[in-house]
């Protein structure tokens, strides 16, 4: 099996950081703020590396789209066990307008170029919460998709995916090549150990431009305004059900 | 005044002679050790020594040490998973409560590679520099017990093999130590020998066939004593001197638990760092092959001092990391807690505490990385005095800052459900282990004074030989000092090394350094070699020196920050200036106390009080309610 897996990793603001909106309301403050790999992307990398360790696939390629710093995220994926990385260089205005549609076009182009059997992505990014890239990529490639995966099993030229859906768990069998998006319970990502980070220094990261892949990055979306969520108001305690009803009526909620 | 000085210069001042060490009953116990300690120092004592002569060795400390872009990216990459591990997988409260580190946590730390940070790559370690080690220390210090376990293992436990071991020893032991398969411990302290490490009694006797040493003795307070498989043990060996005399000298050995005869006692129940294993280790005729001697037979004491000196500086960055975390936790509380209808962060006394914490963290970082940068320079510079200064400042600063942070939270800070009381308990040990602060102050003061003494003796010798030039030089200096008070050591101005916005603080530093040089000279004239016994004076000397080094470190760092435009550099300038101003006045007072017959000096009274109390071993005043009739 010469199976190659492409894993998308996104550099986002670290989950533990307190987000603040820029004074001009055009976005959030990113300058000097701690960034790290999107947690769902970590789970995706972990799954790919696990498949490689089980010798079910040959190579794991980590991909990230963004400015120079995106390479840090790729390095983390390499330290977790990916074999090589591809940095699609996007900066400035193009980066500000980079959304799921643009990224999925890039991933689709790369998948064809790199003869990929499987694309594993995180189900969504914790900064925009779009939950679209995986689905769009599959559509552009006309490949089957198994999203919100909580279990992935390779069976020859097919892949069985157990999906977490509202009603419970759904099992689908996809014919490869396919796109999978990772959900929380798929696995527990390993730590990038320091010795592995050192070994990862020797692994290659290729840099490509979107133009070279024939991808058009124009966005059809415009962010008008970003605001902080409304301040949480204090609640109030009531003693009896009657009081609850009267208060709700007062507030115009009934 | 100056003429009188010339006359008194004819008095002989000798140095480099034996310095007596006093045992418990006031008798001279040994004369040898201090001499060996000083005379075997390599001549290139980095920066501090020149301060004792009233000079600033600019080249050593300006500009502030830098690492390459690649190294910076690499260290940031390293820090990320370690931080994540410590914030998600380390339950410090549980470790403290159960007085042990859970095996899964220890395993996770081993897998991260934290057991072999400075072991060279060829032996399976990470091969990182002192600077990188200090940086990682900022993160591992988030849990005191883990930090001490790691330090006991690699900063001292296996360090002997690393810096003084031969190829075979390194190849045999380092790989398993780097992976954490084997844990190391450093066995020096005994029930009767703590600060007086040279007086240890553990013996190593050579067997008939000359192939093994049999080691017997007991060691106490050994960190990792219960977990370790490899011990660096210090024991007395009979050695024949080059004069043919039989002497008892200390030798360092690599001892494996597997050699037999090694028993560890039960873990000590400690105030803090409760998760770190500390116990007695007994050696009963443990058979150690002669190949396991580290370095030379009889060279153990020097090895021990080198080992301890090499790891000390990292306490600066570790404590800074802890204070930075505390500032976050405390500020969160201060901003939201309201009393008297105002947020407590608006009150002056609370604000003072935050400024104190910020300044301390700033100084500790600056000193630690300056020292680490000096140590990372090629050629092995001896930064033992600088490292000692970092340790003293950080341990005491850390203790005060944790206490103040707890105070901000008031009653809440006192509760076990918050981490502050644990940080406080964990911090207390910093002033005690790795060389008590008292011993380190003596070391700092005496090493410098010895250097100054040598130079001074040299000059006097020259004058006695009739070298008019030297005499005139010294006379001229005294004259200049008595006429004007302006000092210029070349740090500011056209060829200056500090940024213009730090000029005022730098002038304060230069003034302090100049006055310090004079003070040291005065002390040497007044006491000669008996200065060794004047601990209270030496304490003040050490305190001034520590402040001078701290001021130098912050000025160097802030200069660089401004010059390259680091984020928030104006805040750094504020911190630097405030600290220097504070330290300047403290130094002036300390040095005033050190002048001859200074009325500000209460040392004689203090000695008398202590004598009275210790004679009766109790408080001797009559009760205030007592009557005589």
């Amino acid at each position: 099996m010469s199976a190659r897996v492409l894993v998308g990793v996104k550099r986002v603001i670290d989950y533990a950081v307190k987000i603040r909106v820029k004074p001009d309301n055009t976005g959030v403050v990113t300058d000097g703020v701690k960034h790290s790999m999107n947690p769902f992307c970590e789970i995706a990398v972990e799954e790919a590396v696990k498949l490689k360790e089980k010798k079910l696939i040959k190579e794991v390629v980590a991909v990230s789209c963004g400015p120079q710093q995106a390479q840090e995220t790729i390095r983390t994926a390499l330290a977790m066990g990916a074999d090589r990385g591809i940095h699609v260089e996007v900066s400035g205005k193009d980066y500000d307008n980079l959304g799921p549609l643009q990224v999925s076009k890039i991933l689709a182009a790369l998948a064809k170029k790199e003869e990929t059997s499987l694309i594993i992505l995180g189900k969504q990014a914790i900064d925009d919460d779009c939950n679209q890239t995986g689905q769009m990529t599959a559509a552009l490639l006309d490949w089957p998709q198994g999203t919100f995966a909580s279990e992935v099993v390779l069976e020859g030229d097919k892949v069985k995916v157990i999906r977490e859906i509202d009603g419970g768990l759904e099992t689908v069998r996809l014919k490869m090549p396919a796109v999978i998006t990772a959900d929380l319970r798929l696995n527990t990502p390993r730590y990038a150990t320091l010795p592995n980070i050192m070994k990862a220094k020797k692994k290659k990261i290729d840099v490509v431009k979107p133009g070279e892949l024939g991808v058009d990055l124009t966005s059809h979306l415009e962010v008008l305004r970003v605001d902080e969520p409304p301040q949480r108001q204090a609640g109030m305690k009531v003693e009896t059900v009657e009081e609850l009803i009267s208060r709700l009526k007062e507030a115009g909620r009934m | 005044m100056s003429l009188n000085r010339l006359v008194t210069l004819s008095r002989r001042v000798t140095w480099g002679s034996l310095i007596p060490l006093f045992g418990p009953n006031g008798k001279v116990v040994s004369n040898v050790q201090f001499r060996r300690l000083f005379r075997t120092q390599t001549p290139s004592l980095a920066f501090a020594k020149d301060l004792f002569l009233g000079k600033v060795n600019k080249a050593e400390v300006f500009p502030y040490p830098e690492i390459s872009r690649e190294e910076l990216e690499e260290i940031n990459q390293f820090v990320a998973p370690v931080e994540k591990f410590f914030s998600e997988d380390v339950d410090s409260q549980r470790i403290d409560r159960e007085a042990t580190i859970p095996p899964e946590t220890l395993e996770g730390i081993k897998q991260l590679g934290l057991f072999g940070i400075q072991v060279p790559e060829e032996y399976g370690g990470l091969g990182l520099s002192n600077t990188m080690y200090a940086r990682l220390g900022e993160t591992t210090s988030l849990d005191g017990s883990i930090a001490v376990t790691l330090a006991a293992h690699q900063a001292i436990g296996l360090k002997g093999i690393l810096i003084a071991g031969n190829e075979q020893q390194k190849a045999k032991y380092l790989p398993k130590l780097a992976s954490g398969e084997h844990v190391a411990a450093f066995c020096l302290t005994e029930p009767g020998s703590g600060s007086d490490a040279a007086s240890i009694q553990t013996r190593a006797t050579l067997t008939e066939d000359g192939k093994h040493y049999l080691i017997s003795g007991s060691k106490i307070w050994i960190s990792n004593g219960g977990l370790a498989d490899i011990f660096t043990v210090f024991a007395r060996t009979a050695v024949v001197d080059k004069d043919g005399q039989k002497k008892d000298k200390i030798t360092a050995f690599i001892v494996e638990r597997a050699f037999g005869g090694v028993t560890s006692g039960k873990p000590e129940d400690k105030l803090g760092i409760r998760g770190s294993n500390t116990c007695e280790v007994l050696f009963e005729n443990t058979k150690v092959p002669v190949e396991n001697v580290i370095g030379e037979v009889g060279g153990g004491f020097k090895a021990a001092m080198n080992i301890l000196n090499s790891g000390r500086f990292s306490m600066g960055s570790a404590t800074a990391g802890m204070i930075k975390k505390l500032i976050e936790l405390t500020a969160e509380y201060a901003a939201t807690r309201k009393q008297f209808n105002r947020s407590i962060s608006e009150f002056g006394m609370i604000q003072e505490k935050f400024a104190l914490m910020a300044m301390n963290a700033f100084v500790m970082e600056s000193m630690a990385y300056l020292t680490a940068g000096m140590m990372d320079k090629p050629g092995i510079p001896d930064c033992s005095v600088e490292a000692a200064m970092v340790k003293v400042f950080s341990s005491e600063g850390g203790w005060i800052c944790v206490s103040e942070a707890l105070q901000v939270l008031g009653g809440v800070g006192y509760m076990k459900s918050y981490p502050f009381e644990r940080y406080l308990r964990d911090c207390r040990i910093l002033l005690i282990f790795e060389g008590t602060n008292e011993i380190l102050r003596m070391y700092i003061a005496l090493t410098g004074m010895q250097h100054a003494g040598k130079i001074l003796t040299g000059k006097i010798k020259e004058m006695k030989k009739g070298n008019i030039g030297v005499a005139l030089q010294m006379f001229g200096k005294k004259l200049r000092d008595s006429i004007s008070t302006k000092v210029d050591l070349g740090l500011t101005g056209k060829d200056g090394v500090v940024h213009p916005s730090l000029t005022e603080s730098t002038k304060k530093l230069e003034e302090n350094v100049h006055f310090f040089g004079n003070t040291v000279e005065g002390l040497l004239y007044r006491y000669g070699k008996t200065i060794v016994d004047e601990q209270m004076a030496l304490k003040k000397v050490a305190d001034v020196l520590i402040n001078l080094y701290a001021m130098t470190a912050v000025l160097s760092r802030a200069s660089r920050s401004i010059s390259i435009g680091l984020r928030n550099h104006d805040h750094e300038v504020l911190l630097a200036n405030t600290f220097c101003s504070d330290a300047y006045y403290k130094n002036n007072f300390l040095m005033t106390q050190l002048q001859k017959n200074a009325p500000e000096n209460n040392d004689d009274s203090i000695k008398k009080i202590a004598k009275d109390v210790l004679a009766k071993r109790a408080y001797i005043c009559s009760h205030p309610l007592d009557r005589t009739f």
Side-chain angles (χ1 to χ4, degrees), chain B residues 96-148:
Chain B
D96 181 65
R97 192 177 55 236
E98 297 178 2
T100 180
I101 302 174
E104 324 83 72
T105 312
L106 209 54
E107 191 52 43
I109 298 174
K110 288 179 187 176
Q111 292 199 347
L112 276 173
L114 291 173
F115 268 64
I117 298 176
Q118 290 195 283
V119 175
E121 279 184 76
E122 69 235 52
Y123 299 113
L126 298 175
L128 298 185
S129 64
N130 292 309
T131 308
M132 312 271 245
Y133 180 71
R135 180 62 186 91
L136 283 171
E138 279 190 49
T139 319
T140 56
S141 71
L142 290 175
D143 184 284
S145 303
I146 296 180
V148 169

Side-chain angles (χ1 to χ4, degrees), chain A residues 15 18 31-34 42 68 71-73 75-76 79 189-195 197-198 201-202, chain B residues 73-74 77-78 80-85 87-89 111-114 117 121 125-128 136 567:
Chain A
Y15 76 91
K18 194 163 191 298
D31 222 19
V33 170
K34 184 168 181 221
E42 281 179 2
Q68 177 66 23
Q71 292 205 5
E72 288 165 18
T73 316
R75 292 239 167 264
T76 310
R190 65 196 62 190
Y191 283 102
T193 68
L194 274 51
I197 293 176
M198 291 194 69
K201 278 197 287 185
K202 303 192 188 87
Chain B
E73 276 172 12
E74 193 180 50
Q77 276 236 297
F78 283 146
V82 179
E83 262 179 3
K84 188 156 180 243
F85 183 80
S87 63
E88 292 177 13
D89 285 316
Q111 292 199 347
L112 276 173
L114 291 173
I117 298 176
E121 279 184 76
L126 298 175
L128 298 185
L136 283 171
R567 184 169 314 170

Side-chain angles (χ1 to χ4, degrees), chain A residues 10 27 55 174 194 230:
Chain A
K10 187 178 181 187
K55 303 217 200 290
L174 317 169
L194 274 51

Side-chain angles (χ1 to χ4, degrees), chain B residues 194-211:
Chain B
S195 287
D196 190 6
S199 67
I200 56 171
Q201 294 300 306
T202 302
R203 280 220 81 80
T205 29
L206 200 53
T207 51
E208 287 273 313
D209 58 10
K211 293 213 179 115

Side-chain angles (χ1 to χ4, degrees), chain B residues 234-482:
Chain B
F234 294 86
R236 297 208 99 84
T237 44
V239 169
V240 177
D241 222 351
K242 1 187 233 297
D243 320 327
Q245 285 210 308
K246 233 179 159 193
K247 289 229 171 87
D248 252 1
K249 290 194 181 176
I250 300 174
T251 305
F253 297 89
I254 306 174
V255 178
E256 296 179 35
R257 192 186 284 273
F259 288 161
V262 181
T263 33
S264 15
K266 68 172 177 53
E268 304 281 356
D269 193 12
K270 303 188 293 291
L271 168 69
I273 53 166
R274 293 173 56 75
S276 154
N277 173 278
T278 315
C279 63
E280 267 184 35
V281 181
L282 285 123
F283 297 96
E284 281 177 279
N285 288 321
T286 304
K287 216 166 164 194
V288 181
V290 295
E291 295 81 43
N292 279 25
V293 170
I294 302 179
E296 287 168 19
V297 173
F301 188 76
K302 181 176 156 200
M305 292 303 115
N306 284 342
I307 294 170
L308 290 168
N309 287 340
S310 70
R312 221 166 250 148
F313 71 95
S314 65
M315 196 182 281
S317 60
T319 323
M322 184 199 69
I323 296 183
K324 289 192 274 193
K325 180 96 189 137
L326 281 173
I327 293 178
E328 277 174 31
L329 295 173
T330 319
E332 200 45 58
Y333 180 83
T336 46
R337 170 75 171 172
K338 276 190 152 69
Q339 285 290 268
F340 307 110
N341 254 316
R342 295 161 70 184
S343 163
I344 64 170
S345 60
E346 294 176 41
F347 298 132
M349 287 195 244
I350 298 292
Q351 291 170 338
E352 246 184 326
K353 298 184 204 300
F354 282 98
L356 180 77
M357 288 193 274
M359 272 200 289
N360 265 289
F362 185 66
V363 176
M364 285 175 203
E365 275 181 335
S366 310
M367 283 172 93
Y369 287 107
L370 178 61
T371 313
M374 280 201 273
M375 288 169 75
D376 282 339
K377 281 198 186 145
I380 316 158
D382 181 357
C383 303
S384 50
V385 175
E386 287 79 7
M389 294 196 275
V390 174
K391 195 265 187 190
V392 173
F393 188 91
S394 320
S395 52
E396 293 180 5
W399 175 242
I400 296 174
C401 283
V402 176
S403 188
E404 292 291 273
L406 194 154
Q407 184 76 4
V408 173
L409 270 81
V412 166
Y414 204 65
M415 297 301 138
K416 274 198 185 265
S417 46
Y418 283 78
F420 296 85
E421 58 85 33
R422 188 187 65 243
Y423 277 115
L424 192 68
R425 286 184 291 108
D426 284 348
C427 264
R428 187 57 184 84
I429 192 67
L430 296 176
L431 294 91
I432 301 172
F433 70 8
E434 278 217 58
T436 58
N437 286 4
E438 286 72 24
I439 286 294
L440 290 180
R441 280 193 162 88
M442 293 286 283
Y443 176 67
I444 292 167
L446 287 176
T447 312
M449 300 206 75
Q450 186 205 31
H451 176 78
K454 267 205 249 175
I455 304 281
L456 214 54
T457 319
K459 283 197 177 148
I460 292 171
K461 273 211 185 96
E462 285 296 303
M463 282 197 326
K464 286 192 146 213
K465 276 200 271 181
N467 190 332
I468 306 291
V470 174
L472 282 178
Q473 193 190 65
M474 297 192 78
F475 180 61
K477 180 166 173 282
K478 295 282 178 284
L479 206 57
R480 268 198 305 275
D481 280 347
S482 56

